[in-house]
Amino acid sequence: MSYSKTHQTSVVAMPSGDIWEPIQAIRREHDRQIHRWMPHINLLYPFYPRDQFQAERVIPRLEAACQQVPGFEVTLATFRYFTHGAKRATIWLDPAPRAALVHLQATLHDTFPGYDEQSRYHGGFTPHLSVGQVTSRRALQSLLMTLQTHWTPLKFRLDAVALIWRTADSPFQVECRIPLANSAGPDQV
């Protein structure tokens, strides 16, 4: 079965806006994607093209899946990294509890099985909130040490996932927020 997919939509977990500034301060210095993405954890990406949200009943299906997962508190305390080749790396905050985010992503993936890019990696889905990129191993270790030394852990309650979209040259924006179990109804933006 083939699935329509685009890198211009995603289903994400987002920290609440009131804690963005410490994250954005790091991203302003180190993340070339700061103008495209808000702070987020990709759950399903790429995803359906926006023009198919209605035809494929995307929002009702997301609502049903999200009602299977209760909201939970997330802590952003530790920096980690992914390597890309010999010299490049992405630095990210490791959201905890990992198991709760893995369960949320697996529930969404079960609802949208063709959108498995986030769980195809060795070791499966790794929840992460990217904060920057580096192009040398020496810079990586130095930056990780500096970030971790000066970081104050952040906490937020994840009560909803967000369906986001963008056009070719614009930043992502929120289409709607879909509440997790025991939360309020959908928040259309």
Side-chain angles (χ1 to χ4, degrees):
M1 175 179 249
S2 97
Y3 295 88
S4 295
K5 297 179 184 185
T6 180
H7 287 90
Q8 294 181 340
T9 64
S10 185
V11 179
V12 300
M14 288 187 342
S16 52
D18 61 329
I19 68 163
W20 281 17
E21 184 46 38
I23 299 166
Q24 293 296 74
I26 295 168
R27 293 183 70 217
R28 279 191 287 276
E29 271 191 67
H30 304 286
D31 190 355
R32 67 181 182 271
Q33 297 295 337
I34 188 168
H35 300 295
R36 174 153 296 164
W37 294 90
M38 67 283 285
H40 72 286
I41 301 159
N42 275 321
L43 301 169
L44 298 174
Y45 175 76
F47 197 55
Y48 279 101
R50 186 173 186 230
D51 64 3
Q52 292 182 14
F53 287 176
Q54 292 298 328
E56 298 296 331
R57 296 188 33 81
V58 168
I59 293 170
R61 291 167 63 199
L62 282 170
E63 288 171 345
C66 286
Q67 285 306 300
Q68 298 174 44
V69 180
F72 53 95
E73 187 169 277
V74 176
T75 301
L76 301 170
T78 305
F79 291 90
R80 303 209 187 280
Y81 65 94
F82 297 124
T83 57
H84 313 285
K87 294 185 178 181
R88 294 183 18 218
T90 298
I91 298 172
W92 46 278
L93 280 162
D94 186 0
R98 182 180 193 278
L101 285 156
V102 168
H103 173 68
L104 172 59
Q105 193 276 338
T107 301
L108 295 171
H109 177 246
D110 287 349
T111 302
F112 299 97
Y115 299 86
D116 62 352
E117 284 76 4
Q118 296 305 302
S119 49
R120 275 195 213 160
Y121 295 99
H122 178 72
F125 173 64
T126 300
H128 62 282
L129 193 153
S130 296
V131 295
Q133 303 81 35
V134 294
T135 56
S136 81
R137 294 288 180 170
R138 181 175 294 153
L140 171 64
Q141 294 307 320
S142 174
L143 182 55
L144 277 173
M145 186 180 307
T146 299
L147 291 173
Q148 198 64 65
T149 299
H150 294 89
W151 183 249
T152 301
L154 298 173
K155 293 184 180 200
F156 67 96
R157 178 132 183 102
L158 185 64
D159 284 325
V161 300
L163 179 58
I164 62 174
W165 66 277
R166 69 177 178 88
T167 60
D169 297 323
S170 68
F172 277 95
Q173 55 189 308
V174 176
E175 174 82 11
C176 64
R177 288 181 180 83
I178 295 115
L180 298 177
N182 305 319
S183 301
D187 175 17
Q188 298 291 326
V189 176

